[in-house]
Amino acid sequence: MSSEVRVRFAPSPTGPLHIGGVRTALYNYLFAKQHNGRFVLRIEDTDQTRYVANAEQYIIDSLNWCRIPFDEGPGKNEKFGPYRQSERKSLYKQYADELIANGKAYYAFDTSEELDAHRKDHEAKGKTFIYNWHNREKGRLVNSLVLSEEETQKRIDNGEKYVVRFKTPQDKKVIFQDIVRGTIEVDSNILDDKILFKSDGMPTYHLANVVDDHLMQISHVIRGEEWLPSLALHNLLYEAFGWEKPEFAHLPLILKPVGKGKLSKRDGDKLGFPVFPLEYVNEESQEVSRGYREDGYFSDAFINMLAFLGWNPGTEQEIYKLDELIKDFDLSRVNKSGAKFSPDKTKWFQQQYMQSKSDVVIAQQFQEILVGKGIETEINFVTTVVGLVKERAVFVEDLWDLSSYFFEAPSAYDPKTSKKQWKETTADLMQELIEQVEAIADFSSENVETQIKTWITSKEIGFGKVMQPLRLSLVGALKGPHLFDIMHYIGKPEVISRLKNAIQTLG
Ligand code: GLU
């Protein structure tokens, strides 16, 4: 194995990528970049029955949206390619054959009906059927360990269906290391003889995964905890081939917000928050699942949240940009116990990023929403508006509700406020106010404020009597930033026109 750090993200294209998968990809990416290594994408599509055509593109789009692109993978720097296991199909058989030739694996001809019968037999006696050392050579199972070489060959030549099983060594303490979990010891006698090669001519996950990690010179395998039970077998396979093992790190599960049970793909619909990075349309059912991107999250906020699901830097710092994560991420600080997913915390990250991004960056995105509503405005103006209202926004989408009156006159007046603030005398007062506004030459916020306040004072009435109906007329409700700023930015003619409108509508 080369000393270069090479890690891989190896999803199976069976549907949209769950946020747990994105977290695995992210940790692989961070680890690779931290060590100037390579981040490889390998598509593990050997199980044709679960294959979903649009899943691979979804995975790639998700990595790109998160800005954690792969260095090598389908269609990119194919030095160790192809990177889709279905395109490597012809390559695996020789490795299965090699193990058979060395006595480390064997052919098994048992049909699924026969295996079912064994299972039922065992169940009836309160036992569990495991295909391994204690029964593989007893004669009830049909495999090349009990059949003669000629008989075995004859069956193969006759086209009889077979699988290749790993001959798990007996009475062996399999001891291995995991970066997250430390030393793990497994008694080989409890392991079954896993199928390595299937009757359809395809390798199983275990064989293909180990062979590919070896051929692609993977130095570190970083993957979800659900693969920990396979680790003993994978270690035995490396030993059987005589290959150097990569290092392993198994990441903790992501748990439901209640803290119990794995966060599943179906939880999004049930619990009311997305569990996928991007929106996903099921091609068969046309069912649409929500995604963080479409829900308005920034990818850097999303990534920051994910990084903390199972890792923390050991300090108070929570806001981490991607380059800081690359610097500070530490595989040995990854937790063993499950990480509870929190939709509230996710929103909190989004809010932090919303507040820390520059107004102009936010304005560029907000401008797209405005264009979608048929409003064409200068980016400078949009930037100013963003600066005035941003502190109350969590998503760019929120900005419209918070600032629409900067771009168009209110189409309605909040009924409760109208009832409370618009009195019988208000229309006359607003009419007088129009005359005052008309007379203001310098329409800067400060000057408008001085002029209007002087006028109100001279009339010896409370400020609220004028200011509340004025705000209602300009905004449509009692919300928004400093009223004189609003007046300045929408301009004199618009202020007058909105006041006239309000008088007409509210009477
Ligand atoms: N194809 C496996 C998955 O879908 C990969 C597991 C591994 O990384 O070894 O998660």
Side-chain angles (χ1 to χ4, degrees):
M1 197 189 306
S2 71
S3 58
E4 189 195 11
V5 164
R6 292 179 53 79
V7 295
R8 86 300 193 275
F9 176 48
S12 299
T14 54
L17 193 58
H18 172 260
I19 53 177
V22 187
R23 199 244 349 231
T24 300
L26 172 66
Y27 284 14
N28 273 285
Y29 173 89
L30 296 176
F31 188 75
K33 297 298 137 184
Q34 186 169 73
H35 294 91
N36 292 317
R38 307 278 279 176
F39 173 47
V40 176
L41 174 67
R42 183 171 73 225
I43 302 293
E44 299 210 327
D45 55 352
T46 51
D47 187 352
Q48 293 294 317
T49 57
R50 296 181 61 217
Y51 180 77
V52 172
N54 63 359
E56 180 183 317
Q57 194 53 48
Y58 181 92
I59 291 164
I60 294 173
D61 291 346
S62 299
L63 298 183
N64 288 338
W65 178 64
C66 293
R67 301 213 188 92
I68 51 170
F70 53 94
D71 301 309
E72 284 171 34
K76 197 168 176 187
N77 297 326
E78 298 216 1
K79 189 172 161 209
F80 291 88
Y83 292 84
R84 284 185 203 99
Q85 287 186 328
S86 58
E87 290 169 19
R88 303 168 68 78
K89 195 176 153 189
S90 59
L91 186 137
Y92 303 111
K93 174 122 197 333
Q94 70 188 84
Y95 291 98
D97 289 347
E98 183 186 322
L99 291 182
I100 293 170
N102 294 338
K104 307 264 165 81
Y106 58 92
Y107 297 106
F109 299 95
D110 316 87
T111 63
S112 37
E113 292 76 32
E114 283 164 356
L115 290 174
D116 266 351
H118 289 309
R119 243 170 250 130
K120 284 200 183 111
D121 260 11
H122 276 69
E123 262 167 38
K125 291 180 203 141
K127 289 186 188 161
T128 312
F129 172 72
I130 310 178
Y131 202 127
N132 69 0
W133 59 277
H134 77 271
N135 56 14
R136 67 190 169 206
E137 286 169 74
K138 296 263 162 69
R140 293 190 62 202
L141 300 170
V142 194
N143 57 49
S144 57
L145 300 175
V146 288
L147 300 173
S148 69
E149 219 171 292
E150 295 73 44
E151 173 65 12
T152 302
Q153 198 53 49
K154 210 169 92 196
R155 284 177 182 243
I156 293 171
D157 294 344
N158 286 346
E160 197 171 314
K161 285 210 157 164
Y162 66 83
V163 297
V164 176
R165 284 184 183 269
F166 184 59
K167 192 176 171 195
T168 310
Q170 195 179 337
D171 298 331
K172 189 176 155 92
K173 274 199 172 58
V174 195
I175 301 172
F176 44 86
Q177 302 296 323
D178 183 87
I179 297 173
V180 176
R181 275 143 226 281
T183 306
I184 301 173
E185 202 181 299
V186 175
D187 174 2
S188 73
N189 288 351
I190 64 157
L191 301 172
D192 60 340
D193 288 357
K194 277 270 179 306
I195 297 175
L196 300 178
F197 205 80
K198 294 178 284 186
S199 53
D200 63 1
M202 279 290 223
T204 57
Y205 155 73
H206 302 291
L207 180 69
N209 187 271
V210 166
V211 166
D212 285 347
D213 282 346
H214 171 70
L215 295 178
M216 294 181 179
Q217 297 181 12
I218 297 304
S219 62
H220 294 76
V221 170
I222 304 168
R223 62 185 171 194
E225 184 182 303
E226 60 272 32
W227 302 103
L228 197 57
S230 305
L231 191 50
L233 168 66
H234 293 188
N235 269 270
L236 289 169
L237 277 170
Y238 279 100
E239 283 167 23
F241 282 118
W243 294 338
E244 199 184 328
K245 295 169 200 166
E247 292 198 44
F248 291 93
H250 285 81
L251 310 176
L253 293 178
I254 297 183
L255 306 175
K256 295 184 205 296
V258 288
K260 261 198 210 148
K262 192 176 155 183
L263 184 70
S264 80
K265 286 194 174 184
R266 288 169 306 282
D267 282 336
D269 297 331
K270 272 196 254 150
L271 303 174
F273 55 82
V275 291
F276 302 117
L278 316 179
E279 189 175 274
Y280 179 77
V281 184
N282 182 311
E283 280 186 341
E284 254 175 44
S285 64
Q286 289 301 308
E287 191 192 330
V288 181
S289 303
R290 279 162 62 186
Y292 279 90
R293 180 178 66 183
E294 289 70 17
D295 269 23
Y297 283 82
F298 296 128
S299 63
D300 40 10
F302 175 68
I303 282 301
N304 196 155
M305 176 280 291
L306 276 187
F308 274 72
L309 275 183
W311 169 83
N312 70 74
T315 65
E316 294 291 300
Q317 187 182 344
E318 286 188 284
I319 300 301
Y320 265 89
K321 301 277 161 56
L322 195 58
D323 52 345
E324 294 173 291
L325 284 172
I326 292 171
K327 199 161 89 5
D328 283 5
F329 177 74
D330 185 353
L331 256 193
S332 64
R333 284 197 61 88
V334 169
N335 303 327
K336 286 192 202 57
S337 51
K340 191 159 72 168
F341 177 77
S342 163
D344 293 339
K345 190 75 190 184
T346 308
K347 218 166 173 183
W348 178 84
F349 275 110
Q350 167 67 18
Q351 190 178 25
Q352 300 299 309
Y353 276 76
M354 183 75 187
Q355 298 313 321
S356 68
K357 280 185 195 288
S358 75
D359 294 347
V360 63
V361 166
I362 304 279
Q364 276 152 359
Q365 297 188 30
F366 185 34
Q367 201 174 30
E368 282 174 32
I369 296 178
L370 293 175
V371 170
K373 294 183 188 292
I375 297 167
E376 303 279 349
T377 343
E378 292 264 309
I379 188 69
N380 287 347
F381 180 59
V382 183
T383 308
T384 304
V385 171
V386 166
L388 289 170
V389 302
K390 191 179 81 173
E391 72 180 2
R392 311 202 55 175
V394 177
F395 300 101
V396 177
E397 273 277 345
D398 298 344
L399 294 169
W400 174 248
D401 263 354
L402 292 168
S403 73
S404 61
Y405 48 86
F406 279 105
F407 307 100
E408 60 180 32
S411 55
Y413 304 97
D414 177 54
K416 252 200 194 152
T417 315
S418 310
K419 204 165 164 219
K420 201 157 161 228
Q421 305 295 345
W422 199 275
K423 304 270 157 57
E424 247 168 59
T425 53
T426 305
D428 288 346
L429 202 55
M430 291 300 111
Q431 195 56 53
E432 260 185 75
L433 176 62
I434 291 175
E435 282 157 35
Q436 294 298 318
V437 170
E438 264 168 354
I440 302 174
D442 166 10
F443 219 67
S444 68
S445 172
E446 298 76 23
N447 190 51
V448 174
E449 179 166 3
T450 316
Q451 300 292 328
I452 291 185
K453 283 189 171 167
T454 311
W455 171 69
I456 300 175
T457 315
S458 74
K459 285 192 68 76
E460 296 184 348
I461 51 171
F463 276 105
K465 277 221 161 73
V466 175
M467 298 300 284
Q468 307 288 50
L470 172 57
R471 186 177 282 277
L472 183 67
S473 309
L474 301 184
V475 173
L478 295 190
K479 64 175 189 188
H482 193 50
L483 193 54
F484 301 105
D485 282 345
I486 300 178
M487 293 175 81
H488 165 71
Y489 284 113
I490 63 177
K492 188 152 97 177
E494 185 64 19
V495 170
I496 293 169
S497 139
R498 289 190 194 183
L499 279 168
K500 283 184 179 162
N501 249 336
I503 294 170
Q504 218 178 20
T505 315
L506 299 170

